[in-house]
């Protein structure tokens, strides 16, 4: 399998067939597994082989298929599937940290990621320093000999700043810290974060991996040593494992993810180009635009692909943003992303509502900002819908 190209790995990678030789992968909706003898049960609790299972919190054949397929896509040695993206972020960090450790994190984070770093880790005696993730000098100044991990979203939500994985990894590795990257916005299709120096990559599978808004899920990818010795004991004993049913949906999502994400990214670029320069917009933020502040990095880190999300900053603040959302005919108002359906979100009053106003300003989350996750609808229809909603926002 290792010499297959990506699309082949996504269709066939990790498949395990039962005695019935089914074509589409089976859902093993079982918590437990029967042993032929007491001796076999004893032996399996000592060491579990690749096709042997004990209990679904520890592992399950459908979940294992999902783990192998996503590991093949990311180019990671191993993976552990989790109940949600947040179980993955929490598991990657908490499994390796202890009281007294130091962490450096980018400050532009998904709301729940920020909560883990600001509120939870600190409650257990981990010290966290926040930096502007795009400023390498801030990373250099913040890391110390006792820094155990650095954490960032390689493309931040909702302002779509891109962080240099390779350069931050060099800075972190110089002090022996592990690099943990939340890669949702970069997508597993365009990311090569492990190759670029990340020690662990985390995804919310709820987003592009499902891609049709059905299931929660997450995954932690890394070396076999990190996943099996550090992550697995923490996850299997604390209960954040993925359900076999969700694993099946997400496994089938991987079969089409390359086609979907490439189509969504091509639409996102066309929409951003069509809207650039519109008088009603303060800014069109899309990493794939030449004018984006980190576009050079997008070329080297993501093969020039700016992802499937763009953000629009409407003139007229919250009032204009709400008029825009309410005028949309195709895109729905919600807060998921990576879905086949285009989804528009007003971060300041929803996903980032919790943040104090000064922190919103610092992160560029203005009242006029709308995050737009581009779906699989016809690109021209989306452009027409957004154009009429932009016009309505100024009426
Ligand atoms: C959605 C998201 C998460 C959390 O994932 P869930 O599956 O909702 O738990 C974490 N990080 C980023 C960047 C996200 O977009």
């Amino acid at each position: 399998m290792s010499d297959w190209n990506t699309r082949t790995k996504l269709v066939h990678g990790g498949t395990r067939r039962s005695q019935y030789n089914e074509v589409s992968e089976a859902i093993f909706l079982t918590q437990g597994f029967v042993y032929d003898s007491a001796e076999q049960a004893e032996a399996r609790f000592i060491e579990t082989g690749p096709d042997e299972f004990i209990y679904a919190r520890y592992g399950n054949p459908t979940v294992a298929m999902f783990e192998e397929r996503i590991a093949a896509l990311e180019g990671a040695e191993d993976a552990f599937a989790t109940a949600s993206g947040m179980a993955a972020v929490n598991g990657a960090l908490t499994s390796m940290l202890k009281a007294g450790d130091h962490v450096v994190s980018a400050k532009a984070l998904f709301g729940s990621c920020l909560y883990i770093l600001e509120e939870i880790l600190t409650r257990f005696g981990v010290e966290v320093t926040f930096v502007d993730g795009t400023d390498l000098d801030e990373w250099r100044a913040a890391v110390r000999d006792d820094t155990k991990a650095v954490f960032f979203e390689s493309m931040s939500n909702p302002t779509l700043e891109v962080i240099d994985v390779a350069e931050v990894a060099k800075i972190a590795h110089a002090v022996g810290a592990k690099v943990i990257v939340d890669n949702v916005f970069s997508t597993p299709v365009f990311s090569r974060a492990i190759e670029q120096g990340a020690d662990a990559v985390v995804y919310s599978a709820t987003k592009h991996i499902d891609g049709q808004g059905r299931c929660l899920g997450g995954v932690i990818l890394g070396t076999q040593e990190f996943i099996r010795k550090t992550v697995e004991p923490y996850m299997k004993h604390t209960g954040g494992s993925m359900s076999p049913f969700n694993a099946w949906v997400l496994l089938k999502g991987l079969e089409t993810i390359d086609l979907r994400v490439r189509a969504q990214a091509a639409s996102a670029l066309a929409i951003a180009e069509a809207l650039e320069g519109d008088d009603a917009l303060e800014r069109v933020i899309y990493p794939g635009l030449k004018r984006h502040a980190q576009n050079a990095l997008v070329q080297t880190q993501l093969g020039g692909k700016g992802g499937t999300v763009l953000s629009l900053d409407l003139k007229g603040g919250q009032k204009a943003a709400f008029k825009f959302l309410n005028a949309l005919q195709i895109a729905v108002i919600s807060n998921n992303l990576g879905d086949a359906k285009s989804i528009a979100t007003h971060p300041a009053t929803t996903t980032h509502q919790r943040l104090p106003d000064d922190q919103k300003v610092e992160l560029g989350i203005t009242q006029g900002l709308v995050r737009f996750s581009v779906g699989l609808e016809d690109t021209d229809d989306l452009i027409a819908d957004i154009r009429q909603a932009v016009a309505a926002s100024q009426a």
Side-chain angles (χ1 to χ4, degrees):
M1 189 182 93
S2 57
D3 57 0
W4 287 348
N5 290 316
T6 302
R7 296 245 302 259
T8 311
K9 286 180 186 164
L10 285 172
V11 175
H12 294 286
T15 301
R16 292 160 191 244
R17 293 206 164 88
S18 77
Q19 73 273 31
Y20 301 114
N21 256 336
E22 60 281 353
V23 174
S24 178
E25 297 79 352
I27 312 180
F28 291 94
L29 211 48
T30 180
Q31 302 144 340
F33 302 85
V34 176
Y35 313 106
D36 292 337
S37 64
E39 288 77 11
Q40 190 189 53
E42 181 189 34
R44 206 167 292 177
F45 272 78
I46 297 167
E47 200 179 318
T48 309
D51 279 312
E52 296 171 343
F53 299 92
I54 295 175
Y55 189 58
R57 178 152 45 72
Y58 290 34
N60 168 288
T62 312
V63 176
M65 288 192 261
F66 168 74
E67 290 169 341
E68 281 179 35
R69 196 168 286 180
I70 180 76
L73 173 61
E74 190 68 34
E77 282 178 19
D78 213 338
F80 195 96
T82 59
S84 68
M86 288 322 303
V89 172
N90 183 61
L93 288 166
T94 313
S95 66
M96 64 162 293
L97 294 170
K98 60 178 190 320
D101 285 348
H102 178 241
V103 173
V104 182
S105 171
K107 60 188 169 194
L109 297 179
F110 179 72
S112 298
C113 295
L114 194 59
Y115 187 83
I116 288 179
L117 285 144
E118 266 186 329
E119 309 289 334
I120 298 180
L121 291 179
T122 52
R123 186 141 46 86
F124 291 91
V126 173
E127 193 191 336
V128 183
T129 305
F130 288 99
V131 296
D132 172 348
T134 61
D135 185 338
L136 294 173
D137 287 334
E138 285 201 24
W139 288 104
R140 279 186 201 103
V143 295
R144 322 189 298 223
D145 288 341
D146 63 342
T147 306
K148 291 287 157 32
V150 306
F151 178 78
F152 56 95
E153 292 172 16
S154 54
M155 190 186 286
S156 72
N157 171 29
T159 51
L160 309 176
E161 291 176 342
V162 184
I163 295 182
D164 193 327
V165 175
E167 286 304 315
V168 174
K170 273 186 211 153
I171 294 165
H173 291 157
V175 296
K178 275 208 158 42
V179 178
I180 300 175
V181 181
D182 180 334
N183 225 4
V184 167
F185 280 68
S186 295
T187 82
V189 172
F190 301 135
S191 152
R192 294 294 167 264
I194 291 206
E195 203 178 291
Q196 287 155 356
D199 296 292
V201 170
V202 174
Y203 288 104
S204 163
T206 315
K207 313 292 166 52
H208 305 86
I209 295 174
D210 178 339
Q212 293 176 67
R214 299 161 295 191
C215 286
L216 287 175
V219 64
I220 307 168
L221 298 127
T223 60
Q224 197 170 26
E225 161 102 11
F226 180 65
I227 297 298
R228 294 301 145 201
K229 300 250 162 66
T230 303
V231 171
E232 183 188 304
Y234 178 84
M235 292 308 304
K236 75 183 188 189
H237 294 301
T238 56
S241 305
M242 179 181 277
S243 130
F245 180 81
N246 289 8
W248 181 80
V249 173
L250 299 166
L251 178 69
K252 302 307 277 181
L254 285 174
E255 292 183 348
T256 56
I257 191 173
D258 190 84
L259 297 172
R260 287 186 284 105
V261 165
R262 286 182 194 283
Q264 287 166 302
S267 263
L269 177 62
I271 295 168
E273 282 172 345
L275 296 178
E276 236 188 343
D278 190 304
D279 282 347
L281 300 171
E282 296 281 3
R283 291 180 296 166
V284 176
I285 309 173
Y286 182 64
L289 287 175
K290 290 275 170 286
R291 203 178 37 77
H292 187 277
Q294 288 100 38
N295 186 258
L297 183 57
V298 170
Q299 299 303 325
T300 54
Q301 185 161 302
L302 296 167
K305 305 297 183 183
T308 68
V309 177
L310 58 131
S311 290
L312 308 174
D313 200 353
L314 289 138
K315 287 186 183 159
Q318 183 188 321
K319 222 171 138 187
F322 275 27
K323 280 187 186 168
F324 171 83
L325 290 170
N326 292 334
L328 287 168
Q329 310 263 315
I330 297 173
V332 297
I333 305 169
S334 189
N335 37 262
N336 192 19
L337 60 98
D339 198 291
K341 294 182 171 61
S342 289
I343 294 176
T345 313
H346 186 242
T349 53
T350 60
T351 54
H352 291 72
Q353 187 188 110
R354 192 180 68 84
L355 300 185
D357 285 343
D358 55 340
Q359 206 173 348
K360 282 185 193 135
V361 171
E362 197 188 342
L363 295 176
I365 303 170
T366 56
Q367 291 298 326
L369 193 78
V370 172
R371 188 183 80 192
F372 195 96
S373 165
V374 178
L376 286 171
E377 303 94 339
D378 181 88
T379 311
D380 292 337
D381 287 349
L382 289 177
I383 291 172
D385 190 31
I386 294 171
R387 280 223 165 99
Q388 65 79 26
V390 168
S393 77
Q394 306 296 306

